[in-house]
Amino acid sequence: MSKLRYHIAVMAAKFSKVIIRLSGRNGTHTPGVVARKICPDFMAQAPKAPLCICVTGTNGKTTVSNMLTDMLEKEGKKVVSNRTGSNIVPGCVTNLLNSVNWLGRCRVDATVFEVDERASRLILPYVKPDYLVVTNLFRDSLKRNAHPDYIFSVIDTYCPDTTKLILNADEQCSSNLKPNSEHVYFGIGKQDDDKTEPYNLIADYTLCPKCGTKLKFNYLRYHHIGNAYCPNCDYKSADADYLATKVDKEGKKLIVREKDGNEIEYALIHDALFNIYNELTVITMMRELGYSSDEVKKRIAEIHVPESRYSETKVGNVTVVQALSKGQSAVSSCRTFEYVAEEPGKKVIMIAEDDFSDRQKSIEFIGWIYDLEYEQFARDDVMQVVCCGPRCLDHRVRALIAGIPEEKIAWDLDEVAAVDKVKLEGVDKVYILYDCDTYGISCKMKQKLLKRLEDEK
Ligand SMILES: [Zn+2]
């Protein structure tokens, strides 16, 4: 009976997708809803592709899964991925639907699933991935994700024992997932500007997970990312199978020492540390799939960080940068804030981060705004901070607490109107920082700013 349901679901969901496409939309969510209505165990019924990779984690999963898909496609594989769709159950079911033909048979070489870490319990046991890539686990929306330990327990419980894990050795939470499963670790070795003591507002893992003693760090990069050991027991960070030994930002090179001790030079795709981790994750996955270092080198040089994450446009002497800075995932924002603050030149920072979709359905929790490290912008080369959108006054209070002078802070309830408040004189760069809910708005802000720059040229 369930096989018949499965075939009817495939037909109906594919038909719904055709209709949605005709109406000019993508159809990345609804076909999955239709399929599950007819066949609730659609995920278990659908045949598996020869290769199935799931990518989860707090930050970087979209970038990693998109880059992986690009790499596999360039290698001539037929791949489906939920790259433009949702990463919760309906989006993943739609992805599976795309991997089968009208007869319900697998038609691809590989499926890549970006999986929301909280929804992983409803996805991993059914799609049974060959590989699970976990980028990292950080503090995220308190209301949705509670504590990272809770997300850890969800993945640890529901990831099948047969799945091979690709994990970040430098991340003190997810690196301890599934201790009895097969693991491959990646990490970035000690860098000149690393610290040895936690310095961020958010540092969630500072105690030994075995005995509770305060951890010591051979090097600490940010938050709880680094190489740790316990002075009281034998706990220490995992050894990286793929270790970036040298990050050459000027020469745009990344040197990776592999399991056999060979050092391979790759092109550096982007110089922000979080993107170097993303690139290293992709290199590790591709090498584990059996692609030679020469092949991976060639492909890495051809791919980019997705434009919905980072883009630059220059008009006259001013560069406008649009960068993702996920609001309620404060660690993501802190990383973007630090990267932006340390970029050379005089800059204006526009912040359009909001709890936009959450606010519509429930009582909002604004604690995340106080986790954002506005302190990064309390420096002379940040000429102005412009707080945009319905939460602009909360952001303004946070900026004042960080010691940013009042005269440097502008705000506007309307994000696009806020563009008029930017003081462009003597400025080299304007950053528009947005979160997942405000990407569309940030594009309008950018358009208006580019027009203003053209007009004032
Ligand atoms: Zn210990």
Side-chain angles (χ1 to χ4, degrees), residues 290-435:
Y291 292 100
S292 71
S293 50
D294 281 344
E295 277 172 292
V296 179
K297 254 169 99 161
K298 189 172 143 207
R299 299 304 176 202
I300 281 285
E302 294 170 355
I303 61 169
H304 308 279
V305 172
E307 193 152 278
S308 65
R309 272 32 206 172
Y310 188 92
S311 74
E312 280 189 15
T313 311
K314 194 166 185 181
V315 178
N317 296 322
V318 182
T319 305
V320 177
V321 181
Q322 208 180 353
L324 177 69
S325 173
K326 288 200 291 188
Q328 291 176 69
S329 173
V331 168
S332 161
S333 279
C334 294
R335 292 303 85 227
T336 309
F337 280 23
E338 188 171 323
Y339 175 77
V340 163
E342 291 181 354
E343 283 285 275
K346 292 183 174 171
K347 50 233 168 203
V348 171
I349 318 288
M350 302 191 76
I351 295 164
E353 295 185 21
D354 203 354
D355 44 5
F356 200 75
S357 52
D358 277 5
R359 192 155 28 89
Q360 296 172 355
K361 294 178 193 148
S362 59
I363 295 168
E364 61 275 23
F365 168 73
I366 60 162
W368 61 272
I369 294 175
Y370 293 86
D371 277 345
L372 301 179
E373 279 179 7
Y374 268 89
E375 284 75 6
Q376 302 280 359
F377 298 139
R379 47 191 285 162
D380 291 344
D381 59 1
V382 172
M383 311 307 287
Q384 196 186 21
V385 172
V386 185
C387 307
C388 316
R391 287 263 171 244
C392 66
L393 292 177
D394 290 306
H395 283 276
R396 179 172 178 268
V397 169
R398 181 65 186 89
L400 287 168
I401 291 172
I404 298 169
E406 198 170 355
E407 60 275 15
K408 279 192 176 182
I409 307 170
W411 71 94
D412 200 300
L413 286 162
D414 182 301
E415 294 91 343
V416 180
V419 171
D420 294 330
K421 302 203 170 155
V422 174
K423 293 178 189 161
L424 288 166
E425 205 183 332
V427 167
D428 302 302
K429 282 185 171 179
V430 180
Y431 290 89
I432 302 172
L433 307 185
Y434 59 91
D435 64 26

Side-chain angles (χ1 to χ4, degrees), residues 208 210-213 230-235:
C208 171
K210 273 186 165 177
C211 74
T213 303
C230 174
N232 186 51
C233 73
D234 62 353
Y235 176 81

